Amino acid sequence: MRRVIIGIGGVTNGGKTTLTRRLIAALPNCCVVHQDDFFKPPDQIEVGEDGFKQWDVITSIDMEAMVNTVTAWVENPVKFARSHGIAGSHPYEQQEDDEIQILILEGFLLYNHKPLAEMCSRRYYLTIPYEECKLRRSGRNYRVPDPPGLFDGHVWPMYLKHRQEMEDQGVAFVSIDGLLSKDDIFNQVYTDVCNKILNIS
């Protein structure tokens, strides 16, 4: 049984979740782990020097729990999918030993945590410009609403900081233009996955 982990990272509101949903529907034996599911409780999120709760930093996420979850998938993808109720593209019945199992990791700070980044067979990174990102963010309804000034005072500066850190660490990734149409983004990534990963014996 071959195991493939695909990372879908990038800027907030860059199209990660939309792309992930389409990949899950198109790829065989595929399930997903969302980084957002590992946010710590609000009372554990510190207030930074910028005056905002630090939601957009790696310490706001329980990365140990996320890595443990991914490790559990690696050890037994079929059992993991069943026990976690994670929907695959079709039922996990009568799997052949040579079949491929795919896990998609989706999140905004996947590649700033070295153990998690190294687990990925392929890393994709969606980017959009400041103006578009701010426009999309303002149209979203979050469980914890954005306080005034959060985007310019915390979200965007942290994105730039973490992207620079990722690049300084030499993390290899495929950059995806988030301004492309949803179809173009999906086709680019899906074709790359098929050519670079799924066709390798």
Side-chain angles (χ1 to χ4, degrees), residues 2-196:
R2 289 183 55 218
R3 297 164 177 80
V4 171
I5 299 177
I6 298 168
I8 305 293
V11 66
T12 178
N13 293 283
K16 300 182 297 295
T17 303
T18 300
L19 172 60
T20 297
R21 286 185 185 132
R22 293 192 64 175
L23 289 171
I24 292 169
L27 293 169
N29 303 326
C30 184
C31 57
V32 62
V33 170
H34 297 283
Q35 192 171 40
D36 284 359
D37 291 339
F38 295 88
F39 271 119
K40 295 176 182 177
D43 62 357
Q44 293 183 25
I45 306 301
E46 297 179 358
V47 175
E49 294 180 2
D50 56 18
F52 296 104
K53 281 218 166 194
Q54 303 294 288
W55 288 104
D56 286 66
V57 299
I58 200 82
T59 53
S60 70
I61 302 165
D62 188 343
M63 294 304 300
E64 181 180 357
M66 187 173 184
V67 169
N68 288 342
T69 299
V70 177
T71 300
W73 178 88
V74 170
E75 291 172 353
N76 192 325
V78 175
K79 180 180 178 182
F80 176 88
R82 286 180 179 146
S83 64
H84 285 74
I86 296 174
S89 53
H90 56 72
Y92 290 80
E93 299 298 337
Q94 298 179 340
Q95 298 293 335
E96 300 293 333
D97 287 343
D98 60 350
E99 279 199 352
I100 192 165
Q101 298 287 338
I102 301 171
L103 179 68
I104 296 178
L105 304 183
E106 183 268 325
F108 71 110
L109 285 176
L110 295 179
Y111 313 137
N112 293 83
H113 188 70
K114 189 175 181 180
L116 194 65
E118 290 179 344
M119 288 177 153
C120 296
S121 310
R122 195 78 165 160
R123 304 175 199 91
Y124 300 95
Y125 194 87
L126 286 146
T127 62
I128 52 176
Y130 164 84
E131 294 82 3
E132 178 67 16
C133 189
K134 187 171 185 178
L135 179 65
R136 292 185 187 182
R137 178 94 180 193
S138 66
R140 291 278 295 274
N141 291 317
Y142 288 95
R143 182 169 43 108
V144 179
D146 284 353
L150 180 72
F151 184 84
D152 287 314
H154 177 65
V155 174
W156 189 256
M158 288 299 100
Y159 160 67
L160 296 177
K161 176 178 181 286
H162 291 124
R163 173 155 183 164
Q164 189 61 53
E165 287 177 357
M166 181 182 71
E167 292 175 350
D168 290 346
Q169 291 167 5
V171 177
F173 58 87
V174 178
S175 184
I176 306 292
D177 182 358
L179 292 179
L180 295 172
S181 72
K182 293 176 182 177
D183 285 344
D184 285 344
I185 292 171
F186 167 74
N187 289 332
Q188 180 180 343
V189 174
Y190 180 73
T191 300
D192 190 69
V193 168
C194 291
N195 289 339
K196 303 295 184 182

